[in-house]
Amino acid sequence: MFEIVRYTAEQANEWNQFVATSKNGTFLFDRRYMDYHADRFEDHSLLFYLNNTLYALLPANRQGDTLYSHQGLTYGGLISNEKTTTAHVVQLFRELTAYMKSEGIREMIYKPVPHIYHSIPAEEDLFALYSVCNAQLLERNVSCTIDLKRRLKWNRDRRYGINRCRNNGVTVSESEDLPAFWEILQGNLMARFGAKPVHSLEEIELLKSRFPHLIRLFVAEKDGKMLGGTLLYLSRNVVHTQYISANEEGKHLRVMDAIFNHLLNEREWPCRYFDFGTSNEEDGRILKESLIYQKEGFGARAIAHDIYRLEA
């Protein structure tokens, strides 16, 4: 019923046009974003055609006999449009598992797009995972999200931080100074975890040059010195904090409270949700309580980011 085609660079325009008109795609699935780290992954993305018309996409990479819905992306899964139906997606997954067998792929690790990124309902894949694939829930991460149409009150700690910054002359504004922010971010990650950001400075500068209106940096400064900031990813429905970091002085002054007060109370966003990202580790089994407490203090509440395993 479906023709399943492995992606090649010659199909980039067709791929990107489908993502742009899909009901659950974001700019992370645009090949200009996905391919910045093409050297790190063996791309095995798939296009599904029905009656010679592109019906769905699957951003994916392969490692050995495992297919991943792409390891270089926060979320992935089947990208579909308003014409997608449940019956067709059930059939699509039947044929996908047959394709996996024919390619020597034993299993797939599948990360569906969380519902806050859907412009209209798009969970046909979740039903197919259950009904056709007998998929196993492998991991459940918890992200914190504010519904901008139904906001909750902030807790006292967050309001205290805002006043502390105001009394100390901290200002918040949009910035293009990615190097200064990356210096703060890298210093924090190395000191706390012995790790580096997922993106190098050169990579994030490249991506921002490709998506200048969708990747935006907001920072807090005092006397002209950057104390902290957050790098935002904007999609149709969601403002997402891709990175959040402050230096020691910034932590002392609670500059993140001032930054999020600016973003949430002093700016208008053409989006439904403001998402702070996940607050757990060890495959979702350990909750970072102090981190999620801070996010929930702004009125954010839990959204699940699930990961499934299905066998061919």
Side-chain angles (χ1 to χ4, degrees), residues 141-144 276-281 284 286-296:
N141 298 290
V142 61
S143 187
C144 269
F276 287 96
T278 56
S279 303
N280 51 263
E281 53 191 10
I286 303 298
L287 181 66
K288 295 181 179 179
E289 294 191 21
S290 61
L291 181 58
I292 202 167
Y293 171 81
Q294 181 187 33
K295 297 172 182 178
E296 290 177 341

Side-chain angles (χ1 to χ4, degrees), residues 94-109:
R94 288 194 184 103
E95 298 187 27
L96 173 59
T97 55
Y99 169 86
M100 290 165 57
K101 289 178 181 177
S102 71
E103 292 289 318
I105 297 169
R106 179 176 55 87
E107 64 175 1
M108 180 176 179
I109 308 302

Side-chain angles (χ1 to χ4, degrees), residues 12-115:
N13 288 337
E14 183 182 22
W15 178 286
N16 290 341
Q17 288 171 10
F18 189 92
V19 169
T21 58
S22 68
K23 64 179 181 178
N24 61 341
T26 72
F27 77 95
L28 271 68
F29 303 124
D30 189 297
R31 300 309 303 202
R32 293 173 298 162
Y33 186 96
M34 284 185 63
D35 291 343
Y36 86 88
H37 50 25
D39 59 318
R40 300 184 206 169
F41 302 98
E42 180 190 342
D43 191 275
H44 201 107
S45 299
L46 300 174
L47 301 90
F48 300 85
Y49 293 88
L50 182 63
N51 299 325
N52 297 317
T53 300
L54 184 57
Y55 189 84
L57 305 173
L58 183 66
N61 69 283
R62 181 172 180 173
Q63 186 174 329
D65 59 2
T66 300
L67 189 67
Y68 292 88
S69 67
H70 201 291
Q71 287 177 292
L73 301 174
T74 307
Y75 46 82
L78 194 72
I79 310 305
S80 56
N81 62 23
E82 63 183 17
K83 297 180 180 179
T84 304
T85 67
T86 303
H88 277 161
V89 172
V90 166
Q91 180 63 26
L92 184 153
F93 271 83
R94 288 194 184 103
E95 298 187 27
L96 173 59
T97 55
Y99 169 86
M100 290 165 57
K101 289 178 181 177
S102 71
E103 292 289 318
I105 297 169
R106 179 176 55 87
E107 64 175 1
M108 180 176 179
I109 308 302
Y110 187 90
K111 299 182 292 189
V113 180
H115 74 267

Side-chain angles (χ1 to χ4, degrees), residues 21-260:
T21 58
S22 68
K23 64 179 181 178
N24 61 341
T26 72
F27 77 95
L28 271 68
F29 303 124
D30 189 297
R31 300 309 303 202
R32 293 173 298 162
Y33 186 96
M34 284 185 63
D35 291 343
Y36 86 88
H37 50 25
D39 59 318
R40 300 184 206 169
F41 302 98
E42 180 190 342
D43 191 275
H44 201 107
S45 299
L46 300 174
L47 301 90
F48 300 85
Y49 293 88
L50 182 63
N51 299 325
N52 297 317
T53 300
L54 184 57
Y55 189 84
L57 305 173
L58 183 66
N61 69 283
R62 181 172 180 173
Q63 186 174 329
D65 59 2
T66 300
L67 189 67
Y68 292 88
S69 67
H70 201 291
Q71 287 177 292
L73 301 174
T74 307
Y75 46 82
L78 194 72
I79 310 305
S80 56
N81 62 23
E82 63 183 17
K83 297 180 180 179
T84 304
T85 67
T86 303
H88 277 161
V89 172
V90 166
Q91 180 63 26
L92 184 153
F93 271 83
R94 288 194 184 103
E95 298 187 27
L96 173 59
T97 55
Y99 169 86
M100 290 165 57
K101 289 178 181 177
S102 71
E103 292 289 318
I105 297 169
R106 179 176 55 87
E107 64 175 1
M108 180 176 179
I109 308 302
Y110 187 90
K111 299 182 292 189
V113 180
H115 74 267
I116 57 174
Y117 292 94
H118 301 178
S119 57
I120 61 174
E123 294 185 346
E124 297 86 2
D125 59 340
L126 297 185
F127 178 75
L129 287 174
Y130 172 78
S131 67
V132 175
C133 304
N134 195 28
Q136 170 195 2
L137 178 62
L138 194 64
E139 185 174 331
R140 172 163 286 161
N141 298 290
V142 61
S143 187
C144 269
T145 304
I146 295 172
D147 184 340
L148 296 175
K149 292 186 177 180
R150 192 177 184 275
R151 304 190 188 199
L152 305 179
K153 288 184 178 180
W154 292 18
N155 69 24
R156 194 173 296 176
D157 284 348
R158 304 283 70 79
R159 295 195 297 270
Y160 170 80
I162 294 166
N163 291 331
R164 185 180 179 88
C165 287
R166 186 178 294 121
N167 293 337
N168 282 275
V170 173
T171 60
V172 178
S173 62
E174 189 164 6
S175 173
E176 298 296 324
D177 195 354
L178 282 167
F181 176 65
W182 235 246
E183 184 176 351
I184 294 172
L185 177 65
Q186 290 182 136
N188 267 338
L189 290 176
M190 189 57 64
R192 295 181 63 190
F193 307 110
K196 296 180 180 180
V198 172
H199 302 90
S200 69
L201 174 59
E202 293 74 21
E203 288 170 342
I204 204 66
E205 287 179 328
L206 172 65
L207 291 172
K208 193 174 189 317
S209 72
R210 292 177 176 176
F211 303 96
H213 303 298
L214 303 180
I215 300 177
R216 298 170 64 180
L217 175 66
F218 289 83
V219 303
E221 295 178 311
K222 183 174 186 286
D223 301 325
K225 178 185 176 183
M226 189 185 297
L227 303 180
T230 182
L231 187 75
L232 303 181
Y233 277 18
L234 277 64
S235 63
R236 280 172 291 187
N237 291 348
V238 181
V239 181
H240 171 70
T241 58
Q242 181 71 12
Y243 292 106
I244 303 171
S245 200
N247 63 19
E248 290 305 315
E249 184 180 2
K251 293 173 187 175
H252 175 71
L253 291 174
R254 309 274 288 273
V255 298
M256 298 316 305
D257 292 341
I259 289 172
F260 289 121

